[in-house]
């Protein structure tokens, strides 16, 4: 089974480069540049890894990290 990765990154160039590299290594990748939508994506997809920008709009990366850690899933 392919590793699942969610990339939460506001800069499109960085997000695209990360996604391209991860996909080439066999990962299933989802991208989002907004904190609120990104948190929903993490909850929906249940990824193995989240690559998290700290300066996201909507909800910043620090808060997303706290919310992911406190989620009982």
């Amino acid at each position: 089974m392919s590793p699942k990765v969610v990339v939460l990154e506001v800069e499109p160039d960085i997000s695209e480069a990360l996604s391209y590299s991860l996909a080439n290594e066999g990962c299933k990748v989802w991208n989002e540049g907004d904190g609120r939508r990104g948190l929903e994506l993490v909850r929906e997809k249940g990824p193995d890894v989240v690559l998290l920008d700290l300066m996201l709009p909507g909800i910043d990366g620090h808060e997303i990290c706290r919310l992911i850690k406190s989620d009982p899933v």
Side-chain angles (χ1 to χ4, degrees):
M1 184 159 63
S2 299
K4 299 183 293 183
V5 180
V6 170
V7 177
L8 302 180
E9 171 59 57
V10 71
E11 294 294 331
D13 292 342
I14 295 171
S15 180
E16 184 178 321
L18 288 169
S19 298
Y20 177 80
S21 295
L22 289 164
N24 277 342
E25 292 298 321
C27 298
K28 175 67 179 160
V29 183
W30 296 273
N31 298 297
E32 183 54 62
D34 176 79
R36 292 188 195 285
R37 290 191 307 261
L39 183 58
E40 291 172 14
L41 185 62
V42 168
R43 289 179 171 156
E44 175 188 330
K45 300 300 181 185
D48 300 303
V49 175
V50 176
L51 298 179
L52 183 57
D53 184 347
L54 296 179
M55 303 296 282
L56 291 166
I59 302 175
D60 71 40
H62 292 287
E63 184 62 20
I64 289 173
C65 187
R66 280 191 282 276
L67 291 168
I68 291 171
K69 286 177 65 174
S70 69
D71 198 340
V73 174

